[in-house]
Amino acid sequence: MFSTVIAPIVSLLNSLMAPLLAIVGALGALYCVVLGVKYAKAEEPQEREKAKNALKNAVIGFVLIFVLILALNLLMPIMIDWVNQSSGQTLITT
């Protein structure tokens, strides 16, 4: 019953993990470099503070997204085992 719904979702998540980590890493690093340059070029104190806050928020957001993707990657086998055990069958294979 659930295998027709769950199996495609799990396979999609499994296939997207590596590319998603690479994309998030590349975009996060690029965005932080751009904000760092903006911070370095800011001449007025207000502009520097604004750029500093933007850089700090970008780093926090980047780290949060990266940690959540890694947590999902680590918890995926546990969720698959839980679904298989609760159904009494092997509905999902990795």
Side-chain angles (χ1 to χ4, degrees):
M1 178 173 143
F2 289 113
S3 64
T4 58
V5 175
I6 296 172
I9 294 170
V10 170
S11 66
L12 177 68
L13 288 175
N14 280 334
S15 65
L16 289 178
M17 281 302 143
L20 194 59
L21 280 174
I23 290 170
V24 167
L27 289 177
L30 183 64
Y31 189 61
C32 287
V33 167
V34 168
L35 287 176
V37 169
K38 188 175 181 180
Y39 176 66
K41 286 186 174 186
E43 295 178 4
E44 296 181 17
Q46 293 172 346
E47 288 180 25
R48 283 185 78 80
E49 192 63 32
K50 197 174 180 182
K52 180 180 166 183
N53 286 337
L55 182 59
K56 182 173 57 170
N57 291 337
V59 169
I60 290 170
F62 169 65
V63 169
L64 183 63
I65 290 170
F66 188 72
V67 167
L68 289 174
I69 290 172
L70 284 179
L72 181 62
N73 199 14
L74 292 174
L75 292 175
M76 186 66 69
I78 296 169
M79 290 187 297
I80 290 171
D81 289 340
W82 175 73
V83 168
N84 288 336
Q85 287 177 0
S86 65
S87 69
Q89 302 172 11
T90 302
L91 297 176
I92 306 170
T93 58
T94 53

